[in-house]
Amino acid sequence: PKLGGVPVLLLAGAADPVVPAPQRDRLAALLKQAGADVTYHVIPAGHGLTERDLDLVREWLAARS
């Protein structure tokens, strides 16, 4: 798809047992190739949400308001 500037926040856990690192990195690359404005963070976590995830979401949303 053509995502021409669509903002995307991609958060991933470095120790995620469900989504391997190559898959998350490939998704980030594909989104960028499609033209999305990708913000990509790998945090020291597993597959679940953490306080750091929520902080990053708040910061990302605040930067777009």
Side-chain angles (χ1 to χ4, degrees):
K2 291 186 169 82
L3 297 177
V6 172
V8 174
L9 175 61
L10 181 59
L11 304 175
D16 188 335
V18 178
V19 181
Q23 285 184 355
R24 69 170 194 242
D25 295 342
R26 184 164 188 261
L27 175 59
L30 288 171
L31 289 166
K32 287 178 184 179
Q33 271 184 338
D37 176 16
V38 178
T39 303
Y40 178 35
H41 295 281
V42 178
I43 62 170
H47 190 73
L49 286 173
T50 68
E51 280 299 317
R52 182 65 182 137
D53 289 301
L54 298 176
D55 290 341
L56 289 167
V57 170
R58 284 185 202 100
E59 292 168 15
W60 187 79
L61 289 171
R64 281 154 185 72
S65 312

